[in-house]
C-alpha cells in the first residue's frame, strides 16, 4: 500500500490534506484565468481573489465549495495538475456518501501523515493539543515575528500545537508553534488569534450566532466558506464548525440534519429554512432574535444584498419561509 493510501481502496485513491489556507473547489478543472490566480496558486490569497471579482463573478456556479487548511480529503483521481477530491468534513450524502466532491489544483494538497486536526471526532489523547482560529483571519510565519508563509488562515481552521521535540522552541511571548500539512518545520501563529479547539459540544446556539455575527458585511460568494466570501449554507457550516459541530455543506442537507421546531418557539441561533412550493430547501439563515408576533429577524448571507446581513423576513422571503429548526446538541 502506498504511503497515505486508504487500505482496500483501488490504486490511485488516497488520502491527503489541504495544504493552503483556503482551497477553492470547482465542479470541473477550470482554465487558469488570470483573475483566478490568487485562488489557484500553491499559496492562496482568497481575500485578494474575492476582492478582484465583480458581483456577477461572485455568483459563478463553477465554484462548489471551499476547504480550509488541514482538512482531510480523499483523492479519487488526478489529471493535468488537477485532483478530483472528496471533502470528508463537509457531508453531502446525496452527492457522495464520503463527503463533498469537486476539483482543486493538485499543488494545494499535502500528504496525509500524522494526526488529523480537522477531524470532528479527534483522538482524546491528542485533542488537548488542538487549536482553532477564533478571529476573522490570522497569518502563519516561519518564526515569531518572522517571514510570512501562509496568509489569511481563516476563522474555524483547526490547527495542532507542535509538540516539544528536543531543543526546538514551541512557544514564545505571544506566539504558538503549530504543525501544518506540507511543512516539515512548525509555523508560528499569534496566540491571541487562537482558542482551544472544542473536544466536546459545549457551545450554545447563542455562542454560534455570535460567531456568525462576526461575518456581517462579508461579501456573498457562491460556494464560499470564508470571512472573505461566503454563501448562506457556508455561513451556517462555518459558524457551527468553529464550535466543534459538523453540519452538512448545503442548505437542504442541513435541513435534513437538524430538528424541526414549531414557529414561535425559535430562539437566537436556531435556523430558518426557505423553499418554493414543491421544491427542496434553497436557502438558510440564523434566527437573530426571538420572534415578536409575525416579525422575524434573521442573519444570513443574502445573494440579493450581496453580503451577510441582519434583516426582517418579509416580502418574497417571507413567502418561502417553510421551517424553523434547531441543531441537536
Amino acid at each position: 500500500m502506498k504511503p497515505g493510501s486508504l487500505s482496500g481502496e483501488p490504486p490511485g485513491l488516497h488520502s491527503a490534506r489541504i495544504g493552503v489556507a483556503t482551497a477553492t473547489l470547482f465542479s470541473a478543472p477550470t482554465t487558469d484565468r488570470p483573475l483566478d490566480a490568487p485562488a489557484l496558486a500553491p499559496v492562496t490569497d482568497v481575500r485578494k481573489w474575492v476582492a478582484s471579482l465583480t458581483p456577477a463573478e461572485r455568483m459563478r456556479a463553477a465554484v462548489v465549495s471551499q476547504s480550509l487548511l488541514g482538512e482531510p480529503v480523499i483523492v479519487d483521481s488526478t489529471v493535468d495538475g488537477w485532483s478530483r477530491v472528496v471533502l470528508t468534513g463537509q457531508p453531502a450524502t446525496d452527492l457522495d456518501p464520503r463527503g463533498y466532491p469537486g476539483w482543486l489544483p493538485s499543488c494545494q494538497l499535502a500528504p496525509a501523515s500524522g494526526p488529523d486536526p480537522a477531524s470532528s471526532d479527534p483522538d482524546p489523547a491528542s485533542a488537548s493539543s488542538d487549536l482553532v482560529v477564533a478571529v476573522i483571519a490570522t497569518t502563519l510565519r516561519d518564526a515569531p515575528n518572522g517571514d510570512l508563509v501562509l496568509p489569511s488562515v481563516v476563522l474555524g481552521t483547526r490547527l495542532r500545537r507542535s509538540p516539544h521535540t528536543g531543543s526546538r522552541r514551541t512557544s514564545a511571548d505571544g506566539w504558538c508553534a503549530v504543525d501544518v500539512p506540507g511543512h516539515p518545520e512548525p509555523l508560528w501563529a499569534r496566540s491571541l488569534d487562537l482558542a482551544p479547539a472544542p473536544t466536546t459540544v459545549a457551545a450554545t446556539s447563542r455562542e454560534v450566532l455570535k460567531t456568525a455575527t462576526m461575518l456581517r458585511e462579508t461579501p456573498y460568494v457562491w460556494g464560499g466558506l470564508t470571512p472573505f466570501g461566503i454563501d448562506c449554507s457556508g455561513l451556517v457550516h462555518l459558524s457551527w464548525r468553529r464550535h466543534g459541530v459538523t453540519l452538512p455543506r448545503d442548505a437542504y442537507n442541513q435541513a435534513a440534519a437538524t430538528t424541526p421546531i414549531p414557529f414561535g418557539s425559535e430562539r437566537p441561533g436556531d435556523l430558518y429554512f426557505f423553499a418554493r412550493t414543491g421544491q427542496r430547501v434553497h436557502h438558510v439563515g440564523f434566527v437573530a432574535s426571538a420572534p415578536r408576533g409575525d416579525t422575524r429577524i434573521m442573519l444570513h448571507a443574502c445573494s440579493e444584498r450581496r453580503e451577510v446581513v441582519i434583516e426582517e423576513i418579509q416580502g418574497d422571503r417571507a413567502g418561502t419561509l417553510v421551517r424553523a429548526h434547531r441543531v441537536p446538541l
Side-chain angles (χ1 to χ4, degrees):
M1 185 174 70
K2 295 188 300 181
S5 65
L6 301 177
S7 177
E9 299 289 2
L13 194 67
H14 63 279
S15 57
R17 300 276 183 82
I18 298 298
V20 294
T22 302
T24 299
L25 200 69
F26 292 84
S27 58
T30 185
T31 303
D32 291 3
R33 303 185 309 166
L35 193 66
D36 290 334
L40 301 178
V43 177
T44 58
D45 189 340
V46 171
R47 184 202 302 257
K48 181 178 179 181
W49 176 61
V50 172
S52 72
L53 301 177
T54 66
E57 288 168 332
R58 292 174 184 173
M59 297 296 293
R60 185 179 174 200
V63 175
V64 295
S65 190
Q66 291 181 311
S67 187
L68 308 187
L69 177 66
E71 273 196 64
V73 307
I74 298 170
V75 182
D76 281 344
S77 61
T78 301
V79 58
D80 296 332
W82 285 79
S83 292
R84 188 195 187 274
V85 303
V86 174
L87 310 180
T88 59
Q90 297 185 27
T93 53
D94 60 316
L95 300 176
D96 190 312
R98 301 170 297 170
Y100 214 99
W103 292 83
L104 52 73
S106 301
C107 65
Q108 297 179 356
L109 296 174
S113 58
D116 178 10
S119 171
S120 60
D121 186 20
D123 177 3
S126 58
S128 61
S129 297
D130 286 355
L131 302 164
V132 64
V133 176
V135 294
I136 291 298
T138 191
T139 58
L140 299 183
R141 298 178 180 271
D142 63 359
N145 290 311
D147 292 334
L148 179 64
V149 178
L150 289 178
S152 301
V153 178
V154 300
L155 176 74
T157 300
R158 196 153 179 159
L159 302 168
R160 171 134 304 160
R161 189 189 304 271
S162 184
H164 176 73
T165 303
S167 60
R168 185 178 70 186
R169 289 190 305 161
T170 58
S171 64
D173 285 346
W175 294 84
C176 178
V178 294
D179 289 333
V180 177
H183 294 266
E185 295 296 323
L187 300 181
W188 292 81
R190 293 187 182 276
S191 300
L192 289 177
D193 293 345
L194 307 177
T199 56
T200 59
V201 180
T204 66
S205 57
R206 282 185 178 271
E207 290 174 306
V208 177
L209 176 62
K210 184 177 179 180
T211 294
T213 304
M214 293 169 60
L215 303 178
R216 286 184 68 181
E217 300 183 355
T218 296
Y220 186 98
V221 173
W222 183 273
L225 195 66
T226 79
F228 307 124
I230 204 161
D231 64 14
C232 67
S233 57
L235 178 66
V236 171
H237 176 91
L238 183 65
S239 300
W240 278 99
R241 170 186 180 146
R242 155 66 182 91
H243 294 279
V245 176
T246 299
L247 289 181
R249 174 61 179 86
D250 288 337
Y252 60 93
N253 286 324
Q254 291 172 354
T258 52
T259 303
I261 56 175
F263 282 121
S265 67
E266 60 265 38
R267 58 195 185 208
D270 289 337
L271 302 175
Y272 286 129
F273 289 99
F274 301 81
R276 300 193 182 281
T277 302
Q279 299 182 24
R280 71 184 185 186
V281 165
H282 66 265
H283 189 65
V284 60
F286 281 98
V287 176
S289 60
R292 295 183 178 180
D294 292 333
T295 300
R296 292 182 167 86
I297 308 295
M298 75 170 174
L299 169 72
H300 66 136
C302 179
S303 59
E304 291 83 4
R305 298 273 298 273
R306 307 291 195 186
E307 63 180 3
V308 176
V309 297
I310 295 179
E311 63 182 359
E312 182 180 346
I313 301 174
Q314 53 188 338
D316 180 66
R317 189 75 75 188
T320 59
L321 175 61
V322 290
R323 306 178 207 166
H325 281 216
R326 184 161 294 154
V327 176
L329 299 177

